[in-house]
Amino acid sequence: MTLTKRIIPCLDVKNGRVVKGLHFESIKDAGDPVELAKKYSDEGADELVFLDITASDEQRETIKDLVRKVASVIDIPFTVGGGVKSLDDARNILLNGADKVGINTGAIKNPQIITELMELFGRQCVVVAIDAKRNYELKDGTTVFSENGKSFWYEVFIYGGKKETGIDVIQWAKKVDKLGAGEILLTSIDRDGTKDGYDILLTKSIVDSVSIPVIASGGCGKPSDMVDVFEKSNVDATLAASIFHYETHGVKGVKTYLKEKEIPVRL
């Protein structure tokens, strides 16, 4: 039996509003999180991801009451991330209605928390978000790629894409898999908001390096971009924001299109 591929809208939330940027910057408003969440759930989204994108940078917790409101209007699995540094942060998110916890900066700062979260809440609950960007200054100990005559490695970034870590993405993905992550949410900063399609080289490399499901994120501008990444990598799910928020494509329409292209999705 073929496992169906998941289509996941993403709500990047700042100051209580859904926003969308380009390469994690130049942010603009995209609507009310509760309204959008309900709409996507009703349209047949497989899951929903809610990221409080400034929580880590502003050193604060995720906005719990908003998480609760979103959870109350949807009936699909719901991942919430942003500012998770401790087991208590994660517990609060889950108690307010989330099904899974997303952690990024907190995991880089304290990798052991991945194992602790897994042991307490179960592996299926732990989503490690990884934001990666191409770095053309080569250094030893990294996985080097080449495209269009240029060589580079992928560096992991934290604090909502604002701070580099010097960590190689392939090595970090393998480590989070080993530590107990249930899933990786992989975002290409280079492609974020560009609508130029997913970074297939990055996605395929991560999928081939780990044993857990991977969600591709960053760059989706049209349904054919999803077909592309599903056909060229064994990725488990695609996450998108712009194409859903700005009414260019509905979740239902995207899934119908994928079905026609013989991508196994749940209609």
Side-chain angles (χ1 to χ4, degrees):
M1 188 183 119
T2 314
L3 276 180
T4 55
K5 302 293 187 180
R6 291 169 291 148
I7 306 304
I8 308 175
C10 181
L11 306 177
D12 287 323
V13 177
K14 183 181 183 184
N15 302 326
R17 298 286 293 176
V18 175
V19 295
K20 191 67 202 105
L22 178 66
H23 309 307
F24 286 33
E25 289 172 4
S26 52
I27 303 283
K28 61 181 183 188
D29 189 83
D32 175 73
V34 182
E35 282 171 22
L36 287 173
K38 183 176 180 354
K39 181 169 92 117
Y40 299 146
S41 178
D42 292 349
E43 282 180 0
D46 296 296
E47 296 189 17
L48 192 68
V49 167
F50 174 115
L51 299 174
D52 186 348
I53 58 170
T54 54
S56 283
D57 200 30
E58 292 167 5
Q59 307 281 324
R60 61 170 172 77
E61 290 182 3
T62 309
I63 14 190
K64 293 194 286 276
D65 52 338
L66 197 49
V67 170
R68 201 161 49 243
K69 284 178 189 163
V70 169
S72 72
V73 299
I74 63 174
D75 56 5
I76 52 177
F78 178 36
T79 300
V80 176
V84 176
K85 296 191 287 293
S86 66
L87 297 178
D88 273 349
D89 293 339
R91 187 183 283 109
N92 281 332
I93 283 172
L94 295 168
L95 286 174
N96 281 283
D99 301 282
K100 307 180 196 179
V101 174
I103 184 166
N104 181 342
T105 306
I108 289 277
K109 300 269 184 188
N110 172 25
Q112 207 44 46
I113 195 171
I114 299 170
T115 309
E116 291 166 8
L117 287 166
M118 186 245 326
E119 287 170 347
L120 190 59
F121 303 117
R123 191 166 187 143
Q124 80 292 340
C125 248
V126 188
V127 180
V128 175
I130 302 178
D131 299 332
K133 189 177 183 181
R134 296 182 178 202
N135 186 331
Y136 293 90
E137 290 177 23
L138 301 186
K139 69 170 195 172
D140 290 345
T142 58
T143 312
V144 177
F145 296 88
S146 289
E147 200 172 65
N148 303 326
K150 289 181 176 174
S151 296
F152 53 88
W153 59 287
Y154 286 99
E155 184 174 11
V156 176
F157 276 65
I158 53 174
Y159 292 120
K162 291 186 174 68
K163 187 177 192 302
E164 68 279 359
T165 62
I167 296 169
D168 177 77
V169 75
I170 306 290
Q171 291 168 17
W172 177 235
K174 286 179 177 173
K175 185 172 179 176
V176 305
D177 182 4
K178 207 152 68 191
L179 287 169
E183 196 162 32
I184 288 171
L185 168 54
L186 175 70
T187 303
S188 160
I189 298 176
D190 301 296
R191 294 297 178 96
D192 174 68
T194 62
K195 302 183 189 171
D196 291 338
Y198 297 95
D199 187 329
I200 289 167
L201 182 61
L202 169 65
T203 307
K204 186 178 184 328
S205 305
I206 296 292
V207 170
D208 293 348
S209 303
V210 298
S211 63
I212 53 177
V214 176
I215 304 166
S217 164
C220 184
K222 52 194 181 302
S224 59
D225 293 334
M226 292 187 180
V227 174
D228 214 23
V229 76
F230 281 134
E231 286 182 344
K232 292 176 182 170
S233 76
N234 197 24
V235 76
D236 297 83
T238 52
L239 181 124
S242 307
I243 72 166
F244 296 137
H245 299 341
Y246 300 118
E247 303 288 340
T248 43
H249 300 87
V251 175
K252 205 173 195 159
V254 167
K255 285 182 140 189
T256 305
Y257 176 84
L258 291 172
K259 195 88 170 171
E260 285 165 5
K261 298 291 180 187
E262 297 180 353
I263 304 293
V265 290
R266 187 176 59 84
L267 283 177

